[in-house]
């Protein structure tokens, strides 16, 4: 029996306009796309036409005058994803929710509701939050230290998963003749008392067709990789070059195995921003236009966000960055470290670094065939499972997807109606059902 050929998977940003510094000014974008439902609908339906696995909503609950337009006025994830669930049928719907400044019961209930509403298509981008002002928006003086945030996150995600098992799959009988609505022997309280949280349960939402929402994580620090290896179904990675991608995958999968999981229980999705044209020269020109459409002031704002809005404008633009000390250590730690390392290794000036961060180029610039070649090349090394398409969605769906289909590495139709099924992940048997089965086997 021959083994089915491994298929590549895709996700995209489900935003109303490109989320770069100047995304709202793009010729084909509505200036108010961040709060315009039809813009989100177009993105989600385009991605679904391209048979993408999911669209996810990036989010932040803290802004300043230096925030990029993408964050200044926009829908919170639950509202827009609930609306999109009605106008789509297969694509997964992933929302960003923090573990640092919210209650696990509330997050569990929100996501379980979206999961049931959408027929098993919900996902959770679990973030620890990395902007200092978030604390002040949630009755805290400051952000928790980096290590503390990840201790909280580990406990938080365990609680949420526990609450998602409050009801076994067949607990809701709903028998009108007998009058039995639920089998309460299959309802379970969590009774959690831990370092940061005390949660009784049970959750008042039943399980969906996929059992529970998919958990994504994006941490690239040591603590972040450890959290993903233990708790996540998928990770968003910043590494799309073969060397860094391989190193990251080896570390993540090694830790997953150490936690008793299989290496590919955690799917890896680097983000790329493909720029597609009829020739390589034309694609390079399109990228140059993209750079020229972003002012250095806007680029510095993008860069500063990863360092808790540190004022980079105080430094000379055309000189290398000075030593920054601990700046960024409690913010987007792994991303900040990556950018500083990039600047040092490539001897980039502040101007070059800011523009690189604001308008990432990567190697995915060229004709549709050239982009497909790059996508296939990294995928077939086995170090990644798919990509997040960060821009150029329409061109990618129309031009690259057919090439990947013809090469036999991409689907022609959805395999499932659930996000879990399309990602090829195993169904999570309810812990109490599993325990009952084990007891039955032992007593047999």
């Amino acid at each position: 029996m021959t083994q089915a050929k491994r298929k590549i998977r895709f996700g995209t940003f489900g935003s109303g306009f490109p989320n770069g510094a100047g995304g709202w000014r793009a010729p084909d974008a509505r200036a108010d796309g961040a709060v315009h439902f039809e813009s989100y609908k177009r993105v989600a339906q385009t991605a679904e036409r391209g048979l993408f696995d999911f669209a996810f909503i990036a989010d932040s609950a803290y802004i300043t005058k230096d925030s990029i337009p993408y964050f200044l006025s926009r829908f919170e994830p639950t509202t827009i994803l609930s609306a999109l669930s009605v106008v789509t049928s297969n694509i997964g719907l992933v929302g960003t929710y923090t573990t640092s400044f919210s209650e696990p019961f509330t997050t569990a209930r929100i996501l379980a509701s979206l999961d049931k509403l959408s027929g098993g298509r919900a996902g959770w981008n679990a973030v620890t939050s990395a902007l200092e002002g978030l604390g002040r928006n949630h009755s805290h003086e400051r952000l928790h230290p980096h290590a503390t945030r990840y201790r909280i996150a580990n406990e938080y995600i365990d609680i949420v998963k526990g609450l998602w098992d409050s009801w076994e799959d067949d607990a809701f009988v709903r028998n009108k003749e007998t009058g039995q609505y639920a089998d309460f022997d299959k309802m379970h309280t969590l009774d959690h008392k831990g370092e940061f949280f005390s949660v009784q349960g049970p959750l008042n939402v039943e399980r969906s067709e996929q059992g529970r929402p998919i958990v994504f994580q994006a941490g690239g620090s040591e603590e972040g990789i450890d959290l993903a290896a233990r708790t996540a179904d998928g990770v968003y990675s910043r590494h799309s070059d073969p060397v860094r991608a391989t190193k990251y995958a080896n570390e993540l999968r090694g830790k997953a195995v150490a936690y008793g999981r299989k290496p590919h229980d955690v799917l890896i999705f680097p983000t790329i921003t493909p720029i597609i044209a009829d020739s390589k020269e034309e694609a390079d020109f399109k990228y140059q236009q993209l750079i020229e459409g972003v002012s250095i002031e806007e680029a510095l704002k993008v860069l500063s966000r990863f360092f808790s809005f540190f004022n980079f404008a105080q430094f000379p633009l055309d000189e290398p960055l000075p030593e920054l000390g601990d700046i960024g250590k409690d913010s987007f730690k792994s991303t900040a470290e990556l950018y500083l390392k990039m600047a040092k290794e490539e001897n980039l000036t502040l101007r070059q670094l800011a523009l690189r961060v604001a308008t990432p180029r990567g190697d995915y610039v060229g004709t549709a065939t050239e982009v497909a070649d790059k996508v296939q090349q990294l995928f077939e090394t086995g170090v990644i499972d798919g990509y997040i398409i960060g821009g150029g969605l329409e061109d990618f769906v129309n031009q690259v997807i057919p090439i990947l289909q013809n090469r036999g590495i991409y689907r022609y139709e959805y395999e499932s109606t659930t996000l879990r099924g399309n990602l090829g992940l195993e169904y999570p048997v309810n812990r109490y059902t599993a325990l009952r089965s084990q007891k039955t086997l032992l007593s047999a």
Side-chain angles (χ1 to χ4, degrees), residues 2 21 34 43 59 105 167 189-190 229 238 240 348 351 355 364 392 407 415:
T2 58
V43 170
D59 193 41
F105 188 94
W167 297 93
T189 57
L190 187 62
R238 290 191 172 275
S240 58
L348 301 177
R351 184 191 302 275
L355 289 172
Y364 300 83
R407 294 178 181 181
E415 297 86 2

Side-chain angles (χ1 to χ4, degrees), residues 323-369:
E323 180 60 46
L324 295 180
D326 288 337
I327 297 297
K329 73 179 181 66
D330 277 334
S331 186
F332 293 88
K333 183 180 178 181
S334 61
T335 305
E337 289 176 349
L338 175 65
Y339 289 151
L340 292 178
K341 184 177 180 181
M342 179 194 306
K344 186 174 182 179
E345 288 180 350
E346 300 181 36
N347 196 31
L348 301 177
T349 65
L350 174 58
R351 184 191 302 275
Q352 290 170 328
L353 177 64
L355 289 172
R356 178 85 65 87
V357 172
T359 55
R361 184 183 193 281
D363 288 333
Y364 300 83
V365 177
T367 66
T369 299

